[in-house]
Amino acid sequence: GNSAMLRLVRVLRLARVARVVKVLRALPELMILAKGLLAAMRSVFFTLCLLLLVIYIFAIAIKQLATETEMGTEYFAGVLPAMYTLLVRGTLLDEISTLLDDVFLESSAAGAV
């Protein structure tokens, strides 16, 4: 019954792992690429952490500069909306010209930041 089915699933899993090992032995370049990807993941993770920290600091600065302005209520209503605006429009450059026009109309200091 259930134990026979469980054994069959385990055998199939083991066969799949054996197939992957066989492919990796036949193609050592694939193993080199996999190891390189794993080594690069740490650097990418810390780079993303640094990017989020910089965006957080600038979101606080722009939130303070844009307090009680039309552009502040539209784009930088709080720290999280400011971070979103800086990430999507500043880092990924989605409709950046519209944002910059609105920011420079309100405050050249905020535009410089």
Side-chain angles (χ1 to χ4, degrees):
N2 284 339
S3 64
M5 188 65 147
L6 189 60
R7 258 189 261 151
L8 179 65
V9 169
R10 285 182 184 170
V11 168
L12 289 176
R13 238 189 242 165
L14 187 60
R16 190 178 350 170
V17 170
R19 210 174 351 156
V20 170
V21 170
K22 186 177 180 181
V23 168
L24 289 178
R25 282 188 184 162
L27 300 169
E29 295 86 3
L30 191 61
M31 191 63 180
I32 292 170
L33 283 173
K35 286 181 181 177
L37 284 172
L38 287 174
M41 281 176 42
R42 181 176 178 191
S43 298
V44 170
F45 171 74
F46 284 112
T47 302
L48 288 175
C49 288
L50 183 62
L51 177 65
L52 284 176
L53 179 69
V54 169
I55 287 175
Y56 178 70
I57 290 169
F58 277 92
I60 292 172
I62 289 180
K63 168 67 178 117
Q64 292 300 315
L65 286 172
T67 303
E68 298 178 4
T69 63
E70 182 180 327
M71 139 296 311
T73 56
E74 185 176 348
Y75 299 113
F76 309 109
V79 175
L80 285 177
M83 286 180 69
Y84 174 78
T85 300
L86 289 175
L87 177 68
V88 172
R89 295 194 176 200
T91 304
L92 303 177
L93 301 178
D94 185 30
E95 297 180 14
I96 189 68
S97 61
T98 307
L99 173 68
L100 286 178
D101 289 342
D102 291 345
V103 169
F104 275 111
L105 283 175
E106 293 283 340
S107 166
S108 55
V113 170

